[in-house]
C-alpha cells in the first residue's frame, strides 16, 4: 500500500505532446465528437496555407518523436486556440478522479479508468489493440494523465511524457454537449480577432504564454528565430500584456492580468 502513494495525477499532458496526439486524431476521419473540430481545423489550415503558413501534409510521428516544425504549426491552429477550454475540461476530469480515489481507493480507480486498463498488483496492463503493454509502476512511481486527443490508453516513459516517472495516458472522449463547448464559434471568433489586432505571429506568441516560457521554448514551439520571438515579446511587454521574471537563472515570460483578459483566460 505504501508504494501506491507514488501514483499521482496531473491535469493534462504538455501541450506539445497533446498536439502530436491531435495530429493523429485529425487524420482519423471516423465519425466521432471531433468532427466539428476537424472541420474548423481544415478551414484554418486552408487559410494558413494560402497565406504561406502550414499546409496539410503533416507527418504522422510517434508520441516520443522530436517535434517537427509542421507539428508546432499544426498546434498553433488546431490546439492552442482551444487550449484554455481543453485544459479546464481535463482538470475537471482530474478532480473527479481525485474524488473517486477518496471514496474507492487507488486500486479501484486504476481498474475503472478505461476498459483497456487493468490493475493486478503489482502489474498494470494496458491493452493498446496491438500487443498490449505491462508495467510495474511501483519501482519508479506512476503519473496518470488524461488526454483529450489520444486515440487510446498507453504508457509513456518519463522523458516522453514530460514527467519524473512513467506516464499512464488515458483518453477522455467528450460528450456531444462537451464537444460543442470546446469547439464553439466564440473561441474561433476571439482567435481571429486577436490575430487581426496583433498579427498572426504575435498572437501565437501571446497564446504560447498560457504557461510561462523562455524565449528558446517559444522559438521551438512556434518555429521562430530567437530575434523574432524577442522582438514580438518586446512589443507585448510594452503593451502590458506580458511580463518577464527570473527563475533559477532563466528568464521566463508570462501573461499579465491584461494578457489573460485579452486571451479570454478563465482559469
Amino acid at each position: 500500500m505504501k508504494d501506491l502513494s507514488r501514483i499521482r495525477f496531473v491535469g493534462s499532458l504538455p501541450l506539445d505532446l497533446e498536439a502530436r496526439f491531435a495530429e493523429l486524431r485529425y487524420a482519423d476521419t471516423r465519425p466521432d465528437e471531433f468532427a466539428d473540430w476537424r472541420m474548423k481545423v481544415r478551414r484554418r489550415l486552408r487559410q494558413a496555407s494560402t497565406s504561406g503558413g502550414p499546409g496539410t501534409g503533416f507527418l504522422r510521428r510517434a508520441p516520443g518523436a522530436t517535434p517537427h516544425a509542421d507539428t508546432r504549426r499544426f498546434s498553433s491552429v488546431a490546439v492552442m486556440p482551444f487550449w484554455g477550454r481543453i485544459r479546464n475540461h481535463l482538470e475537471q476530469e482530474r478532480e473527479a478522479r481525485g474524488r473517486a480515489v477518496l471514496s474507492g481507493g487507488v486500486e479501484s480507480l486504476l481498474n475503472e479508468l478505461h476498459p483497456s486498463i487493468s490493475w493486478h498488483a503489482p502489474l498494470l496492463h494496458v491493452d493498446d489493440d496491438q500487443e498490449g503493454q505491462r508495467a510495474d509502476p511501483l519501482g519508479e512511481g506512476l503519473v496518470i494523465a488524461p488526454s483529450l486527443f489520444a486515440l487510446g490508453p498507453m504508457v509513456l516513459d518519463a522523458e516522453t511524457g514530460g514527467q519524473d516517472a512513467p506516464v499512464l495516458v488515458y483518453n477522455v472522449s467528450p460528450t456531444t454537449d462537451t464537444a460543442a463547448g470546446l469547439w464553439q464559434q466564440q473561441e474561433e471568433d476571439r482567435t481571429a480577432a486577436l490575430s487581426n489586432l496583433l498579427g498572426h505571429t504575435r498572437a501565437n506568441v501571446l497564446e504560447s504564454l498560457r504557461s510561462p516560457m523562455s524565449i528558446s521554448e517559444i522559438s521551438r514551439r512556434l518555429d521562430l528565430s530567437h530575434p523574432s520571438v524577442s522582438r514580438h515579446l518586446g512589443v507585448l511587454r510594452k503593451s502590458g500584456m506580458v511580463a518577464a521574471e527570473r527563475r533559477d537563472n532563466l528568464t521566463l515570460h508570462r501573461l499579465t492580468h491584461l494578457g489573460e483578459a485579452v486571451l479570454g483566460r478563465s482559469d
Side-chain angles (χ1 to χ4, degrees):
M1 294 300 294
K2 180 179 178 181
D3 285 331
L4 290 177
S5 66
R6 303 187 65 184
I7 297 177
R8 60 187 176 86
F9 284 79
V10 294
S12 64
L13 296 165
L15 188 151
D16 287 346
L17 184 54
E18 192 73 41
R20 293 178 218 171
F21 290 141
E23 283 191 272
L24 300 179
R25 179 69 72 173
Y26 179 75
D28 181 7
T29 57
R30 291 175 293 183
D32 58 17
E33 302 305 330
F34 293 87
D36 189 41
W37 169 76
R38 291 190 187 93
M39 180 183 67
K40 292 178 184 294
V41 172
R42 193 175 300 115
R43 182 167 63 248
R44 290 181 179 194
L45 290 174
R46 284 199 298 266
Q47 293 171 346
S49 180
T50 58
S51 63
T56 57
F58 297 104
L59 303 178
R60 299 183 65 177
R61 288 167 295 284
T66 301
H68 187 274
D70 281 344
T71 298
R72 293 190 288 268
R73 296 185 184 118
F74 180 83
S75 176
S76 72
V77 299
V79 181
M80 287 173 60
F82 310 104
W83 186 239
R85 285 197 176 102
I86 292 172
R87 190 173 54 186
N88 287 342
H89 173 64
L90 295 177
E91 183 62 30
Q92 291 173 11
E93 165 71 14
R94 185 188 70 84
E95 291 175 355
R97 296 299 182 178
R99 291 191 293 270
V101 169
L102 293 177
S103 61
V106 175
E107 293 177 277
S108 174
L109 176 65
L110 288 172
N111 284 308
E112 296 173 356
L113 275 179
H114 192 280
S116 298
I117 298 173
S118 59
W119 164 259
H120 301 287
L123 293 178
L124 179 73
H125 178 77
V126 179
D127 183 2
D128 62 0
D129 293 329
Q130 296 180 11
E131 58 185 20
Q133 305 173 67
R134 291 179 181 272
D136 178 359
L138 303 184
E140 304 174 80
L142 183 70
V143 175
I144 302 177
S147 169
L148 183 70
F149 290 110
L151 297 178
M154 66 191 76
V155 177
L156 304 177
D157 60 55
E159 182 178 359
T160 300
Q163 301 292 331
D164 55 4
V167 180
L168 170 62
V169 177
Y170 69 100
N171 53 306
V172 180
S173 299
T175 64
T176 300
D177 289 342
T178 299
L182 290 171
W183 324 129
Q184 64 181 298
Q185 188 68 34
Q186 179 183 2
E187 186 77 5
E188 184 161 307
D189 289 344
R190 181 186 295 119
T191 301
L194 186 62
S195 293
N196 290 335
L197 175 66
L198 300 176
H200 182 70
T201 301
R202 192 165 297 156
N204 282 343
V205 171
L206 188 66
E207 283 276 5
S208 72
L209 294 177
R210 289 187 181 274
S211 297
M213 287 190 183
S214 67
I215 289 179
S216 294
E217 289 172 320
I218 300 171
S219 175
R220 287 194 299 270
R221 175 167 294 181
L222 300 181
D223 193 31
L224 297 171
S225 68
H226 282 215
S228 177
V229 172
S230 181
R231 183 170 61 254
H232 289 301
L233 285 173
V235 174
L236 292 171
R237 281 196 303 271
K238 290 178 181 178
S239 70
M241 288 185 277
V242 168
E245 60 184 44
R246 295 284 294 179
R247 294 186 191 175
D248 300 325
N249 296 321
L250 183 67
T251 300
L252 296 181
H253 301 270
R254 61 172 178 79
L255 296 174
T256 62
H257 291 306
L258 176 59
E260 293 177 353
V262 168
L263 290 178
R265 183 170 179 171
S266 60
D267 57 332

